[in-house]
Amino acid sequence: MNNTQIRFNLIVLSLLFLPIQCFCQSSRFNWEKAKPETEGVSSSTLNNATKYLDANFPYYRAMIIIRHDKEIYEKRNNKKVFSSSSDSIKAYISSYSNIRYTVLDSIGNLHNIRSCSKSIISLLIGIAIEKGYINSVNDPVSMYLPEYFTNCTDSIKKTITIKHLLTHKSGLINIDKHLDFINNKDWVNFILRAPLTSKPGEVFDYNTANTHILSAVITKVTHKNALEFAKDKLFNPLGIRNVKWQCD
């Protein structure tokens, strides 16, 4: 793989996560516009990225690129997104039949950012450390949620650290594969009481349980739920005003 391919792949990967952040920022900060070449970026590479998105992610909403504090590229996808009641959307999300997803018809509405929320939780953990609410990523989770470990007989489970949660190496039950957790009144308790699937730090397992426990840690140390803390320390400073965040 040559350098051009590497740059192109990085651009495409990043763009999958940019629309909401850039939409909010551009409306607040009014980025100065500039041609890509004046900021050291090839227009042909950006056009190729757009073609890749059109071919592989037809329902993306927008692609906006900021470089050197200037907006060098913007592409809005005006393709009509299928109705949530149509057969197409039912087929599209058939593998997620137990989970409600939002598919939008127009720019400006709330977007379900799905696993991007994991990155937001990671940012909030970093802010909590910076503000002194959490000492270190190497702290055991049991330090912050001792009530869930009082009767725990698994000494290995007590070694799970915040870093293990952030890196998806906690060994906790994968709730993305065990959707029955939704019917449980206390998701944190369900996750932490279930047997480990691997020793903490050894196996990577992309798992929403990790970020849910991180959210519980944030709530415990800040005395605010994750949404309240995010609004105060992250969303409001970025000009992100319209947010919905489900709670258990």
Side-chain angles (χ1 to χ4, degrees), residues 1 14 27 63 65 73 91 115 151 185 206 218 225:
M1 181 179 290
S14 299
S27 63
M63 179 173 82
I65 298 178
Y73 194 81
S115 283
N151 298 317
K185 293 182 178 180
Y206 191 71
I218 290 169
N225 64 39

Side-chain angles (χ1 to χ4, degrees), residues 22-31 239:
C22 289
F23 178 81
C24 296
Q25 288 182 332
S26 62
S27 63
R28 180 186 180 198
F29 297 109
N30 296 318
W31 300 105

Side-chain angles (χ1 to χ4, degrees), residues 99-192:
I99 302 176
R100 181 180 299 173
Y101 284 96
T102 303
V103 181
L104 304 174
D105 291 319
S106 62
I107 294 170
N109 291 340
L110 285 172
H111 284 56
N112 184 335
I113 62 171
R114 303 179 190 179
S115 283
C116 290
S117 57
K118 293 181 173 64
S119 296
I120 292 174
I121 286 290
S122 297
L123 288 171
L124 295 180
I125 289 294
I127 293 171
I129 292 174
E130 181 184 53
K131 300 297 182 182
Y133 293 108
I134 295 172
N135 297 321
S136 165
V137 294
N138 296 314
D139 288 346
V141 175
S142 59
M143 177 188 298
Y144 298 101
L145 301 174
E147 65 273 25
Y148 290 99
F149 291 86
T150 301
N151 298 317
C152 178
T153 58
D154 187 346
S155 59
I156 295 178
K157 186 179 291 186
K158 294 179 181 179
T159 67
I160 297 174
T161 65
I162 290 174
K163 184 176 181 179
H164 290 146
L165 298 175
L166 289 168
T167 57
H168 293 274
K169 291 185 177 182
S170 65
L172 292 172
I173 183 174
N174 192 320
I175 59 175
D176 300 310
K177 300 174 183 177
H178 297 273
L179 296 178
D180 52 323
F181 82 93
I182 294 174
N183 299 319
N184 197 284
K185 293 182 178 180
D186 186 340
W187 293 2
V188 175
N189 182 69
F190 177 91
I191 293 167
L192 293 178

Side-chain angles (χ1 to χ4, degrees), residues 36-50:
E37 279 72 18
T38 63
E39 304 304 322
V41 179
S42 167
S43 291
S44 62
T45 299
L46 296 178
N47 289 331
N48 286 337
T50 301

